[in-house]
Amino acid sequence: MEETWLNEHGHSFNTSLDLSIPEQQVTASYKIPLNDVLKNYYLIQYGLKNVNRTDKKTLESNLSFERHWVLESGWHRTAYIRYLVENYEFNTQGELGQFVLPGLSYSRVVSRGGVLPMSGNKQTIMFEVGDDHALSETSVFRMRGTSTWISSIGENHRGIFKVDIGANIASDPSKLSPSLRFYAGGDNSVRGYDYESISPQDDVGNKTGGQYLATSTLEYQYRITGNWWAATFFDIGDAFDDTPEWKRGAGVGIRWVSPVGPVKFDYAKGLDEKPQAEWRIHFSLGPEL
């Protein structure tokens, strides 16, 4: 729900709700425009997220104050500070963690072709810091960067290449809350593996989340007819603490171009899953850039 104008100054209020069986999230934001309404504004945002899975149960609360600029170069710059409080039962151990994280992010999208771009790219990069003397459980420097490129030959052949990397450099990594750790696997990561199933494990096999993340995707699509496309892809990546043990996934899929973006149905196999690799179904909806 969005109410565009709350007063004569152009303030607006927005809410969103995301629901699934393992995760539920609600977000509310208040936007305060500056002299250029579209390019300069403040944003106050609060989000509450509940995760209830076998190996991870968390209640995550995020309050952020943000300053946004849309630069002449097309980059969207955001400077912010967020307060994270996370109550979690992580691998049977209950904890309460808090972090104050000032951050800076940049993002840019260049696209040609509407809801199904025939060429374009998207770049994002984020930096955050926390200090154990300033309401954080441990001192940490965080970085996350993604890059997506789309290219085409004619009207019937498309290629997509993605890279996603992340790092947590912390004085005591064991004190990082689950939402700050890295996991791989799932619909928009390394397909052929369950959601967030790729992770370091403790001595009894519980997933602990990684300090580092590196994944990549190479996908080819061919137009069958109209808004229907066939796809084949290869994914590789890992979430790790020291040395990566790369997990590979490959498969085929179908794409239908809807008014809100491609509807994607994939059938993928994890090539490095033990004790035996399995075929898995993946479903997702939304823009590729």
Side-chain angles (χ1 to χ4, degrees), residues 112 117-121 148-161 219-221 229 288-289:
R112 179 183 67 84
M118 300 305 289
S119 67
N121 63 85
T148 303
W149 295 82
I150 294 176
S151 186
S152 62
I153 299 176
E155 296 298 321
N156 297 322
H157 303 270
R158 298 176 77 239
I160 301 176
F161 176 68
E219 180 169 316
Y220 165 73
Q221 299 176 359
W229 294 70
E288 296 168 323
L289 291 178

mmCIF file with all atom_site columns, all heavy atoms in Angstrom, residues 112 117-121 148-161 219-221 229 288-289:
data_model
loop_
_atom_site.group_PDB
_atom_site.id
_atom_site.type_symbol
_atom_site.label_atom_id
_atom_site.label_alt_id
_atom_site.label_comp_id
_atom_site.label_asym_id
_atom_site.label_entity_id
_atom_site.label_seq_id
_atom_site.pdbx_PDB_ins_code
_atom_site.Cartn_x
_atom_site.Cartn_y
_atom_site.Cartn_z
_atom_site.occupancy
_atom_site.B_iso_or_equiv
_atom_site.pdbx_formal_charge
_atom_site.auth_seq_id
_atom_site.auth_comp_id
_atom_site.auth_asym_id
_atom_site.auth_atom_id
_atom_site.pdbx_PDB_model_num
ATOM 1   N N   . ARG A 1 112 ? 17.516 -1.879  -21.814 1.00 0.00 ? 112 ARG A N   1
ATOM 2   C CA  . ARG A 1 112 ? 16.823 -1.629  -23.079 1.00 0.00 ? 112 ARG A CA  1
ATOM 3   C C   . ARG A 1 112 ? 15.899 -2.812  -23.369 1.00 0.00 ? 112 ARG A C   1
ATOM 4   O O   . ARG A 1 112 ? 16.356 -3.947  -23.475 1.00 0.00 ? 112 ARG A O   1
ATOM 5   C CB  . ARG A 1 112 ? 17.821 -1.484  -24.234 1.00 0.00 ? 112 ARG A CB  1
ATOM 6   C CG  . ARG A 1 112 ? 17.157 -1.237  -25.597 1.00 0.00 ? 112 ARG A CG  1
ATOM 7   C CD  . ARG A 1 112 ? 18.165 -1.181  -26.719 1.00 0.00 ? 112 ARG A CD  1
ATOM 8   N NE  . ARG A 1 112 ? 18.799 -2.474  -26.945 1.00 0.00 ? 112 ARG A NE  1
ATOM 9   C CZ  . ARG A 1 112 ? 18.277 -3.456  -27.696 1.00 0.00 ? 112 ARG A CZ  1
ATOM 10  N NH1 . ARG A 1 112 ? 17.080 -3.294  -28.252 1.00 0.00 ? 112 ARG A NH1 1
ATOM 11  N NH2 . ARG A 1 112 ? 18.922 -4.600  -27.861 1.00 0.00 ? 112 ARG A NH2 1
ATOM 12  N N   . PRO A 1 117 ? 14.430 -7.064  -20.859 1.00 0.00 ? 117 PRO A N   1
ATOM 13  C CA  . PRO A 1 117 ? 15.493 -6.321  -21.542 1.00 0.00 ? 117 PRO A CA  1
ATOM 14  C C   . PRO A 1 117 ? 16.285 -7.216  -22.492 1.00 0.00 ? 117 PRO A C   1
ATOM 15  O O   . PRO A 1 117 ? 16.648 -8.344  -22.139 1.00 0.00 ? 117 PRO A O   1
ATOM 16  C CB  . PRO A 1 117 ? 16.374 -5.833  -20.393 1.00 0.00 ? 117 PRO A CB  1
ATOM 17  C CG  . PRO A 1 117 ? 15.528 -5.943  -19.167 1.00 0.00 ? 117 PRO A CG  1
ATOM 18  C CD  . PRO A 1 117 ? 14.602 -7.084  -19.410 1.00 0.00 ? 117 PRO A CD  1
ATOM 19  N N   . MET A 1 118 ? 16.560 -6.711  -23.678 1.00 0.00 ? 118 MET A N   1
ATOM 20  C CA  . MET A 1 118 ? 17.405 -7.442  -24.617 1.00 0.00 ? 118 MET A CA  1
ATOM 21  C C   . MET A 1 118 ? 18.875 -7.094  -24.422 1.00 0.00 ? 118 MET A C   1
ATOM 22  O O   . MET A 1 118 ? 19.754 -7.780  -24.942 1.00 0.00 ? 118 MET A O   1
ATOM 23  C CB  . MET A 1 118 ? 16.968 -7.143  -26.049 1.00 0.00 ? 118 MET A CB  1
ATOM 24  C CG  . MET A 1 118 ? 15.525 -7.544  -26.337 1.00 0.00 ? 118 MET A CG  1
ATOM 25  S SD  . MET A 1 118 ? 15.176 -9.295  -25.971 1.00 0.00 ? 118 MET A SD  1
ATOM 26  C CE  . MET A 1 118 ? 16.080 -10.106 -27.291 1.00 0.00 ? 118 MET A CE  1
ATOM 27  N N   . SER A 1 119 ? 19.130 -6.023  -23.695 1.00 0.00 ? 119 SER A N   1
ATOM 28  C CA  . SER A 1 119 ? 20.497 -5.701  -23.296 1.00 0.00 ? 119 SER A CA  1
ATOM 29  C C   . SER A 1 119 ? 20.425 -4.802  -22.067 1.00 0.00 ? 119 SER A C   1
ATOM 30  O O   . SER A 1 119 ? 19.427 -4.121  -21.833 1.00 0.00 ? 119 SER A O   1
ATOM 31  C CB  . SER A 1 119 ? 21.265 -5.004  -24.420 1.00 0.00 ? 119 SER A CB  1
ATOM 32  O OG  . SER A 1 119 ? 20.729 -3.721  -24.675 1.00 0.00 ? 119 SER A OG  1
ATOM 33  N N   . GLY A 1 120 ? 21.468 -4.820  -21.279 1.00 0.00 ? 120 GLY A N   1
ATOM 34  C CA  . GLY A 1 120 ? 21.504 -3.972  -20.097 1.00 0.00 ? 120 GLY A CA  1
ATOM 35  C C   . GLY A 1 120 ? 22.364 -4.573  -19.014 1.00 0.00 ? 120 GLY A C   1
ATOM 36  O O   . GLY A 1 120 ? 22.924 -5.666  -19.156 1.00 0.00 ? 120 GLY A O   1
ATOM 37  N N   . ASN A 1 121 ? 22.482 -3.835  -17.923 1.00 0.00 ? 121 ASN A N   1
ATOM 38  C CA  . ASN A 1 121 ? 23.249 -4.327  -16.788 1.00 0.00 ? 121 ASN A CA  1
ATOM 39  C C   . ASN A 1 121 ? 22.766 -3.655  -15.513 1.00 0.00 ? 121 ASN A C   1
ATOM 40  O O   . ASN A 1 121 ? 22.181 -2.570  -15.546 1.00 0.00 ? 121 ASN A O   1
ATOM 41  C CB  . ASN A 1 121 ? 24.755 -4.104  -16.990 1.00 0.00 ? 121 ASN A CB  1
ATOM 42  C CG  . ASN A 1 121 ? 25.119 -2.634  -17.077 1.00 0.00 ? 121 ASN A CG  1
ATOM 43  O OD1 . ASN A 1 121 ? 25.327 -1.974  -16.047 1.00 0.00 ? 121 ASN A OD1 1
ATOM 44  N ND2 . ASN A 1 121 ? 25.200 -2.092  -18.294 1.00 0.00 ? 121 ASN A ND2 1
ATOM 45  N N   . THR A 1 148 ? 24.998 -7.888  -12.809 1.00 0.00 ? 148 THR A N   1
ATOM 46  C CA  . THR A 1 148 ? 24.210 -8.674  -13.756 1.00 0.00 ? 148 THR A CA  1
ATOM 47  C C   . THR A 1 148 ? 24.317 -8.042  -15.139 1.00 0.00 ? 148 THR A C   1
ATOM 48  O O   . THR A 1 148 ? 24.152 -6.834  -15.281 1.00 0.00 ? 148 THR A O   1
ATOM 49  C CB  . THR A 1 148 ? 22.727 -8.741  -13.341 1.00 0.00 ? 148 THR A CB  1
ATOM 50  O OG1 . THR A 1 148 ? 22.623 -9.283  -12.031 1.00 0.00 ? 148 THR A OG1 1
ATOM 51  C CG2 . THR A 1 148 ? 21.933 -9.600  -14.309 1.00 0.00 ? 148 THR A CG2 1
ATOM 52  N N   . TRP A 1 149 ? 24.583 -8.860  -16.143 1.00 0.00 ? 149 TRP A N   1
ATOM 53  C CA  . TRP A 1 149 ? 24.721 -8.386  -17.523 1.00 0.00 ? 149 TRP A CA  1
ATOM 54  C C   . TRP A 1 149 ? 23.805 -9.207  -18.426 1.00 0.00 ? 149 TRP A C   1
ATOM 55  O O   . TRP A 1 149 ? 23.749 -10.436 -18.321 1.00 0.00 ? 149 TRP A O   1
ATOM 56  C CB  . TRP A 1 149 ? 26.158 -8.510  -18.008 1.00 0.00 ? 149 TRP A CB  1
ATOM 57  C CG  . TRP A 1 149 ? 27.111 -7.634  -17.249 1.00 0.00 ? 149 TRP A CG  1
ATOM 58  C CD1 . TRP A 1 149 ? 27.682 -7.902  -16.040 1.00 0.00 ? 149 TRP A CD1 1
ATOM 59  C CD2 . TRP A 1 149 ? 27.562 -6.345  -17.636 1.00 0.00 ? 149 TRP A CD2 1
ATOM 60  N NE1 . TRP A 1 149 ? 28.483 -6.853  -15.645 1.00 0.00 ? 149 TRP A NE1 1
ATOM 61  C CE2 . TRP A 1 149 ? 28.427 -5.882  -16.603 1.00 0.00 ? 149 TRP A CE2 1
ATOM 62  C CE3 . TRP A 1 149 ? 27.343 -5.525  -18.745 1.00 0.00 ? 149 TRP A CE3 1
ATOM 63  C CZ2 . TRP A 1 149 ? 29.053 -4.648  -16.657 1.00 0.00 ? 149 TRP A CZ2 1
ATOM 64  C CZ3 . TRP A 1 149 ? 27.969 -4.299  -18.800 1.00 0.00 ? 149 TRP A CZ3 1
ATOM 65  C CH2 . TRP A 1 149 ? 28.811 -3.866  -17.767 1.00 0.00 ? 149 TRP A CH2 1
ATOM 66  N N   . ILE A 1 150 ? 23.091 -8.517  -19.318 1.00 0.00 ? 150 ILE A N   1
ATOM 67  C CA  . ILE A 1 150 ? 22.228 -9.165  -20.302 1.00 0.00 ? 150 ILE A CA  1
ATOM 68  C C   . ILE A 1 150 ? 22.635 -8.714  -21.694 1.00 0.00 ? 150 ILE A C   1
ATOM 69  O O   . ILE A 1 150 ? 22.857 -7.514  -21.931 1.00 0.00 ? 150 ILE A O   1
ATOM 70  C CB  . ILE A 1 150 ? 20.744 -8.820  -20.053 1.00 0.00 ? 150 ILE A CB  1
ATOM 71  C CG1 . ILE A 1 150 ? 20.274 -9.415  -18.726 1.00 0.00 ? 150 ILE A CG1 1
ATOM 72  C CG2 . ILE A 1 150 ? 19.863 -9.322  -21.198 1.00 0.00 ? 150 ILE A CG2 1
ATOM 73  C CD1 . ILE A 1 150 ? 18.847 -9.051  -18.360 1.00 0.00 ? 150 ILE A CD1 1
ATOM 74  N N   . SER A 1 151 ? 22.744 -9.665  -22.602 1.00 0.00 ? 151 SER A N   1
ATOM 75  C CA  . SER A 1 151 ? 23.062 -9.363  -23.990 1.00 0.00 ? 151 SER A CA  1
ATOM 76  C C   . SER A 1 151 ? 22.229 -10.257 -24.887 1.00 0.00 ? 151 SER A C   1
ATOM 77  O O   . SER A 1 151 ? 21.732 -11.309 -24.443 1.00 0.00 ? 151 SER A O   1
ATOM 78  C CB  . SER A 1 151 ? 24.554 -9.567  -24.264 1.00 0.00 ? 151 SER A CB  1
ATOM 79  O OG  . SER A 1 151 ? 24.889 -9.140  -25.571 1.00 0.00 ? 151 SER A OG  1
ATOM 80  N N   . SER A 1 152 ? 22.034 -9.854  -26.137 1.00 0.00 ? 152 SER A N   1
ATOM 81  C CA  . SER A 1 152 ? 21.198 -10.638 -27.047 1.00 0.00 ? 152 SER A CA  1
ATOM 82  C C   . SER A 1 152 ? 21.775 -10.611 -28.452 1.00 0.00 ? 152 SER A C   1
ATOM 83  O O   . SER A 1 152 ? 22.547 -9.711  -28.823 1.00 0.00 ? 152 SER A O   1
ATOM 84  C CB  . SER A 1 152 ? 19.766 -10.093 -27.063 1.00 0.00 ? 152 SER A CB  1
ATOM 85  O OG  . SER A 1 152 ? 19.750 -8.761  -27.547 1.00 0.00 ? 152 SER A OG  1
ATOM 86  N N   . ILE A 1 153 ? 21.396 -11.620 -29.216 1.00 0.00 ? 153 ILE A N   1
ATOM 87  C CA  . ILE A 1 153 ? 21.697 -11.677 -30.652 1.00 0.00 ? 153 ILE A CA  1
ATOM 88  C C   . ILE A 1 153 ? 20.352 -11.794 -31.368 1.00 0.00 ? 153 ILE A C   1
ATOM 89  O O   . ILE A 1 153 ? 19.639 -12.794 -31.200 1.00 0.00 ? 153 ILE A O   1
ATOM 90  C CB  . ILE A 1 153 ? 22.600 -12.871 -30.991 1.00 0.00 ? 153 ILE A CB  1
ATOM 91  C CG1 . ILE A 1 153 ? 23.939 -12.762 -30.258 1.00 0.00 ? 153 ILE A CG1 1
ATOM 92  C CG2 . ILE A 1 153 ? 22.836 -12.951 -32.496 1.00 0.00 ? 153 ILE A CG2 1
ATOM 93  C CD1 . ILE A 1 153 ? 24.846 -13.952 -30.471 1.00 0.00 ? 153 ILE A CD1 1
ATOM 94  N N   . GLY A 1 154 ? 19.998 -10.764 -32.120 1.00 0.00 ? 154 GLY A N   1
ATOM 95  C CA  . GLY A 1 154 ? 18.701 -10.756 -32.763 1.00 0.00 ? 154 GLY A CA  1
ATOM 96  C C   . GLY A 1 154 ? 17.588 -10.645 -31.734 1.00 0.00 ? 154 GLY A C   1
ATOM 97  O O   . GLY A 1 154 ? 17.765 -10.106 -30.640 1.00 0.00 ? 154 GLY A O   1
ATOM 98  N N   . GLU A 1 155 ? 16.424 -11.183 -32.063 1.00 0.00 ? 155 GLU A N   1
ATOM 99  C CA  . GLU A 1 155 ? 15.255 -11.106 -31.180 1.00 0.00 ? 155 GLU A CA  1
ATOM 100 C C   . GLU A 1 155 ? 14.963 -12.415 -30.460 1.00 0.00 ? 155 GLU A C   1
ATOM 101 O O   . GLU A 1 155 ? 14.034 -12.471 -29.652 1.00 0.00 ? 155 GLU A O   1
ATOM 102 C CB  . GLU A 1 155 ? 14.021 -10.694 -32.002 1.00 0.00 ? 155 GLU A CB  1
ATOM 103 C CG  . GLU A 1 155 ? 14.114 -9.298  -32.614 1.00 0.00 ? 155 GLU A CG  1
ATOM 104 C CD  . GLU A 1 155 ? 14.224 -8.207  -31.554 1.00 0.00 ? 155 GLU A CD  1
ATOM 105 O OE1 . GLU A 1 155 ? 13.548 -8.325  -30.510 1.00 0.00 ? 155 GLU A OE1 1
ATOM 106 O OE2 . GLU A 1 155 ? 14.987 -7.253  -31.779 1.00 0.00 ? 155 GLU A OE2 1
ATOM 107 N N   . ASN A 1 156 ? 15.752 -13.459 -30.733 1.00 0.00 ? 156 ASN A N   1
ATOM 108 C CA  . ASN A 1 156 ? 15.409 -14.775 -30.208 1.00 0.00 ? 156 ASN A CA  1
ATOM 109 C C   . ASN A 1 156 ? 16.473 -15.399 -29.314 1.00 0.00 ? 156 ASN A C   1
ATOM 110 O O   . ASN A 1 156 ? 16.268 -16.505 -28.817 1.00 0.00 ? 156 ASN A O   1
ATOM 111 C CB  . ASN A 1 156 ? 15.114 -15.738 -31.364 1.00 0.00 ? 156 ASN A CB  1
ATOM 112 C CG  . ASN A 1 156 ? 13.913 -15.297 -32.188 1.00 0.00 ? 156 ASN A CG  1
ATOM 113 O OD1 . ASN A 1 156 ? 12.935 -14.795 -31.640 1.00 0.00 ? 156 ASN A OD1 1
ATOM 114 N ND2 . ASN A 1 156 ? 14.008 -15.462 -33.500 1.00 0.00 ? 156 ASN A ND2 1
ATOM 115 N N   . HIS A 1 157 ? 17.595 -14.722 -29.113 1.00 0.00 ? 157 HIS A N   1
ATOM 116 C CA  . HIS A 1 157 ? 18.673 -15.304 -28.314 1.00 0.00 ? 157 HIS A CA  1
ATOM 117 C C   . HIS A 1 157 ? 19.112 -14.296 -27.245 1.00 0.00 ? 157 HIS A C   1
ATOM 118 O O   . HIS A 1 157 ? 19.444 -13.151 -27.565 1.00 0.00 ? 157 HIS A O   1
ATOM 119 C CB  . HIS A 1 157 ? 19.882 -15.659 -29.194 1.00 0.00 ? 157 HIS A CB  1
ATOM 120 C CG  . HIS A 1 157 ? 19.556 -16.587 -30.320 1.00 0.00 ? 157 HIS A CG  1
ATOM 121 N ND1 . HIS A 1 157 ? 19.624 -17.952 -30.196 1.00 0.00 ? 157 HIS A ND1 1
ATOM 122 C CD2 . HIS A 1 157 ? 19.156 -16.332 -31.600 1.00 0.00 ? 157 HIS A CD2 1
ATOM 123 C CE1 . HIS A 1 157 ? 19.293 -18.521 -31.344 1.00 0.00 ? 157 HIS A CE1 1
ATOM 124 N NE2 . HIS A 1 157 ? 18.999 -17.557 -32.212 1.00 0.00 ? 157 HIS A NE2 1
ATOM 125 N N   . ARG A 1 158 ? 19.091 -14.732 -25.979 1.00 0.00 ? 158 ARG A N   1
ATOM 126 C CA  . ARG A 1 158 ? 19.517 -13.883 -24.868 1.00 0.00 ? 158 ARG A CA  1
ATOM 127 C C   . ARG A 1 158 ? 20.523 -14.624 -23.997 1.00 0.00 ? 158 ARG A C   1
ATOM 128 O O   . ARG A 1 158 ? 20.441 -15.840 -23.832 1.00 0.00 ? 158 ARG A O   1
ATOM 129 C CB  . ARG A 1 158 ? 18.339 -13.461 -23.969 1.00 0.00 ? 158 ARG A CB  1
ATOM 130 C CG  . ARG A 1 158 ? 17.277 -12.659 -24.623 1.00 0.00 ? 158 ARG A CG  1
ATOM 131 C CD  . ARG A 1 158 ? 16.115 -12.391 -23.672 1.00 0.00 ? 158 ARG A CD  1
ATOM 132 N NE  . ARG A 1 158 ? 16.398 -11.345 -22.705 1.00 0.00 ? 158 ARG A NE  1
ATOM 133 C CZ  . ARG A 1 158 ? 16.371 -11.497 -21.399 1.00 0.00 ? 158 ARG A CZ  1
ATOM 134 N NH1 . ARG A 1 158 ? 16.101 -12.698 -20.865 1.00 0.00 ? 158 ARG A NH1 1
ATOM 135 N NH2 . ARG A 1 158 ? 16.627 -10.493 -20.579 1.00 0.00 ? 158 ARG A NH2 1
ATOM 136 N N   . GLY A 1 159 ? 21.453 -13.870 -23.421 1.00 0.00 ? 159 GLY A N   1
ATOM 137 C CA  . GLY A 1 159 ? 22.405 -14.430 -22.482 1.00 0.00 ? 159 GLY A CA  1
ATOM 138 C C   . GLY A 1 159 ? 22.445 -13.597 -21.210 1.00 0.00 ? 159 GLY A C   1
ATOM 139 O O   . GLY A 1 159 ? 22.320 -12.363 -21.257 1.00 0.00 ? 159 GLY A O   1
ATOM 140 N N   . ILE A 1 160 ? 22.575 -14.251 -20.060 1.00 0.00 ? 160 ILE A N   1
ATOM 141 C CA  . ILE A 1 160 ? 22.625 -13.570 -18.763 1.00 0.00 ? 160 ILE A CA  1
ATOM 142 C C   . ILE A 1 160 ? 23.846 -14.063 -17.998 1.00 0.00 ? 160 ILE A C   1
ATOM 143 O O   . ILE A 1 160 ? 24.094 -15.279 -17.916 1.00 0.00 ? 160 ILE A O   1
ATOM 144 C CB  . ILE A 1 160 ? 21.358 -13.838 -17.934 1.00 0.00 ? 160 ILE A CB  1
ATOM 145 C CG1 . ILE A 1 160 ? 20.110 -13.369 -18.682 1.00 0.00 ? 160 ILE A CG1 1
ATOM 146 C CG2 . ILE A 1 160 ? 21.443 -13.148 -16.573 1.00 0.00 ? 160 ILE A CG2 1
ATOM 147 C CD1 . ILE A 1 160 ? 18.806 -13.693 -17.972 1.00 0.00 ? 160 ILE A CD1 1
ATOM 148 N N   . PHE A 1 161 ? 24.580 -13.117 -17.435 1.00 0.00 ? 161 PHE A N   1
ATOM 149 C CA  . PHE A 1 161 ? 25.738 -13.448 -16.601 1.00 0.00 ? 161 PHE A CA  1
ATOM 150 C C   . PHE A 1 161 ? 25.623 -12.685 -15.289 1.00 0.00 ? 161 PHE A C   1
ATOM 151 O O   . PHE A 1 161 ? 25.369 -11.473 -15.280 1.00 0.00 ? 161 PHE A O   1
ATOM 152 C CB  . PHE A 1 161 ? 27.044 -13.058 -17.315 1.00 0.00 ? 161 PHE A CB  1
ATOM 153 C CG  . PHE A 1 161 ? 28.267 -13.295 -16.473 1.00 0.00 ? 161 PHE A CG  1
ATOM 154 C CD1 . PHE A 1 161 ? 28.678 -14.580 -16.152 1.00 0.00 ? 161 PHE A CD1 1
ATOM 155 C CD2 . PHE A 1 161 ? 29.003 -12.219 -15.991 1.00 0.00 ? 161 PHE A CD2 1
ATOM 156 C CE1 . PHE A 1 161 ? 29.806 -14.787 -15.367 1.00 0.00 ? 161 PHE A CE1 1
ATOM 157 C CE2 . PHE A 1 161 ? 30.132 -12.420 -15.214 1.00 0.00 ? 161 PHE A CE2 1
ATOM 158 C CZ  . PHE A 1 161 ? 30.529 -13.718 -14.903 1.00 0.00 ? 161 PHE A CZ  1
ATOM 159 N N   . GLU A 1 219 ? 23.586 -18.096 -18.125 1.00 0.00 ? 219 GLU A N   1
ATOM 160 C CA  . GLU A 1 219 ? 22.306 -18.622 -18.621 1.00 0.00 ? 219 GLU A CA  1
ATOM 161 C C   . GLU A 1 219 ? 22.094 -18.213 -20.069 1.00 0.00 ? 219 GLU A C   1
ATOM 162 O O   . GLU A 1 219 ? 22.374 -17.074 -20.461 1.00 0.00 ? 219 GLU A O   1
ATOM 163 C CB  . GLU A 1 219 ? 21.159 -18.101 -17.755 1.00 0.00 ? 219 GLU A CB  1
ATOM 164 C CG  . GLU A 1 219 ? 19.775 -18.575 -18.184 1.00 0.00 ? 219 GLU A CG  1
ATOM 165 C CD  . GLU A 1 219 ? 18.706 -18.252 -17.153 1.00 0.00 ? 219 GLU A CD  1
ATOM 166 O OE1 . GLU A 1 219 ? 18.973 -18.470 -15.946 1.00 0.00 ? 219 GLU A OE1 1
ATOM 167 O OE2 . GLU A 1 219 ? 17.632 -17.785 -17.533 1.00 0.00 ? 219 GLU A OE2 1
ATOM 168 N N   . TYR A 1 220 ? 21.587 -19.155 -20.856 1.00 0.00 ? 220 TYR A N   1
ATOM 169 C CA  . TYR A 1 220 ? 21.211 -18.891 -22.251 1.00 0.00 ? 220 TYR A CA  1
ATOM 170 C C   . TYR A 1 220 ? 19.715 -19.113 -22.413 1.00 0.00 ? 220 TYR A C   1
ATOM 171 O O   . TYR A 1 220 ? 19.168 -20.104 -21.908 1.00 0.00 ? 220 TYR A O   1
ATOM 172 C CB  . TYR A 1 220 ? 21.976 -19.811 -23.202 1.00 0.00 ? 220 TYR A CB  1
ATOM 173 C CG  . TYR A 1 220 ? 21.391 -19.855 -24.598 1.00 0.00 ? 220 TYR A CG  1
ATOM 174 C CD1 . TYR A 1 220 ? 21.528 -18.764 -25.470 1.00 0.00 ? 220 TYR A CD1 1
ATOM 175 C CD2 . TYR A 1 220 ? 20.676 -20.970 -25.035 1.00 0.00 ? 220 TYR A CD2 1
ATOM 176 C CE1 . TYR A 1 220 ? 20.979 -18.796 -26.741 1.00 0.00 ? 220 TYR A CE1 1
ATOM 177 C CE2 . TYR A 1 220 ? 20.122 -21.010 -26.304 1.00 0.00 ? 220 TYR A CE2 1
ATOM 178 C CZ  . TYR A 1 220 ? 20.275 -19.930 -27.155 1.00 0.00 ? 220 TYR A CZ  1
ATOM 179 O OH  . TYR A 1 220 ? 19.719 -19.954 -28.413 1.00 0.00 ? 220 TYR A OH  1
ATOM 180 N N   . GLN A 1 221 ? 19.047 -18.197 -23.126 1.00 0.00 ? 221 GLN A N   1
ATOM 181 C CA  . GLN A 1 221 ? 17.610 -18.292 -23.349 1.00 0.00 ? 221 GLN A CA  1
ATOM 182 C C   . GLN A 1 221 ? 17.313 -18.216 -24.853 1.00 0.00 ? 221 GLN A C   1
ATOM 183 O O   . GLN A 1 221 ? 17.951 -17.445 -25.581 1.00 0.00 ? 221 GLN A O   1
ATOM 184 C CB  . GLN A 1 221 ? 16.873 -17.162 -22.623 1.00 0.00 ? 221 GLN A CB  1
ATOM 185 C CG  . GLN A 1 221 ? 17.051 -17.177 -21.110 1.00 0.00 ? 221 GLN A CG  1
ATOM 186 C CD  . GLN A 1 221 ? 16.384 -15.990 -20.439 1.00 0.00 ? 221 GLN A CD  1
ATOM 187 O OE1 . GLN A 1 221 ? 15.796 -15.134 -21.102 1.00 0.00 ? 221 GLN A OE1 1
ATOM 188 N NE2 . GLN A 1 221 ? 16.483 -15.929 -19.122 1.00 0.00 ? 221 GLN A NE2 1
ATOM 189 N N   . TRP A 1 229 ? 9.916  -18.499 -23.526 1.00 0.00 ? 229 TRP A N   1
ATOM 190 C CA  . TRP A 1 229 ? 11.340 -18.735 -23.761 1.00 0.00 ? 229 TRP A CA  1
ATOM 191 C C   . TRP A 1 229 ? 11.766 -20.022 -23.070 1.00 0.00 ? 229 TRP A C   1
ATOM 192 O O   . TRP A 1 229 ? 11.243 -20.367 -22.000 1.00 0.00 ? 229 TRP A O   1
ATOM 193 C CB  . TRP A 1 229 ? 12.181 -17.585 -23.201 1.00 0.00 ? 229 TRP A CB  1
ATOM 194 C CG  . TRP A 1 229 ? 11.992 -16.264 -23.875 1.00 0.00 ? 229 TRP A CG  1
ATOM 195 C CD1 . TRP A 1 229 ? 10.889 -15.450 -23.820 1.00 0.00 ? 229 TRP A CD1 1
ATOM 196 C CD2 . TRP A 1 229 ? 12.931 -15.589 -24.711 1.00 0.00 ? 229 TRP A CD2 1
ATOM 197 N NE1 . TRP A 1 229 ? 11.080 -14.311 -24.551 1.00 0.00 ? 229 TRP A NE1 1
ATOM 198 C CE2 . TRP A 1 229 ? 12.337 -14.376 -25.114 1.00 0.00 ? 229 TRP A CE2 1
ATOM 199 C CE3 . TRP A 1 229 ? 14.221 -15.890 -25.150 1.00 0.00 ? 229 TRP A CE3 1
ATOM 200 C CZ2 . TRP A 1 229 ? 12.986 -13.462 -25.941 1.00 0.00 ? 229 TRP A CZ2 1
ATOM 201 C CZ3 . TRP A 1 229 ? 14.876 -14.989 -25.975 1.00 0.00 ? 229 TRP A CZ3 1
ATOM 202 C CH2 . TRP A 1 229 ? 14.260 -13.786 -26.367 1.00 0.00 ? 229 TRP A CH2 1
ATOM 203 N N   . GLU A 1 288 ? 14.699 -9.192  -14.167 1.00 0.00 ? 288 GLU A N   1
ATOM 204 C CA  . GLU A 1 288 ? 16.045 -9.747  -14.169 1.00 0.00 ? 288 GLU A CA  1
ATOM 205 C C   . GLU A 1 288 ? 17.086 -8.682  -13.869 1.00 0.00 ? 288 GLU A C   1
ATOM 206 O O   . GLU A 1 288 ? 18.226 -8.995  -13.521 1.00 0.00 ? 288 GLU A O   1
ATOM 207 C CB  . GLU A 1 288 ? 16.338 -10.415 -15.505 1.00 0.00 ? 288 GLU A CB  1
ATOM 208 C CG  . GLU A 1 288 ? 15.449 -11.614 -15.769 1.00 0.00 ? 288 GLU A CG  1
ATOM 209 C CD  . GLU A 1 288 ? 15.523 -12.113 -17.195 1.00 0.00 ? 288 GLU A CD  1
ATOM 210 O OE1 . GLU A 1 288 ? 15.635 -11.266 -18.116 1.00 0.00 ? 288 GLU A OE1 1
ATOM 211 O OE2 . GLU A 1 288 ? 15.473 -13.331 -17.407 1.00 0.00 ? 288 GLU A OE2 1
ATOM 212 N N   . LEU A 1 289 ? 16.721 -7.405  -14.018 1.00 0.00 ? 289 LEU A N   1
ATOM 213 C CA  . LEU A 1 289 ? 17.616 -6.290  -13.701 1.00 0.00 ? 289 LEU A CA  1
ATOM 214 C C   . LEU A 1 289 ? 16.973 -5.422  -12.613 1.00 0.00 ? 289 LEU A C   1
ATOM 215 O O   . LEU A 1 289 ? 15.765 -5.335  -12.514 1.00 0.00 ? 289 LEU A O   1
ATOM 216 C CB  . LEU A 1 289 ? 17.907 -5.441  -14.928 1.00 0.00 ? 289 LEU A CB  1
ATOM 217 C CG  . LEU A 1 289 ? 18.757 -6.085  -16.019 1.00 0.00 ? 289 LEU A CG  1
ATOM 218 C CD1 . LEU A 1 289 ? 18.909 -5.135  -17.203 1.00 0.00 ? 289 LEU A CD1 1
ATOM 219 C CD2 . LEU A 1 289 ? 20.142 -6.492  -15.511 1.00 0.00 ? 289 LEU A CD2 1
#
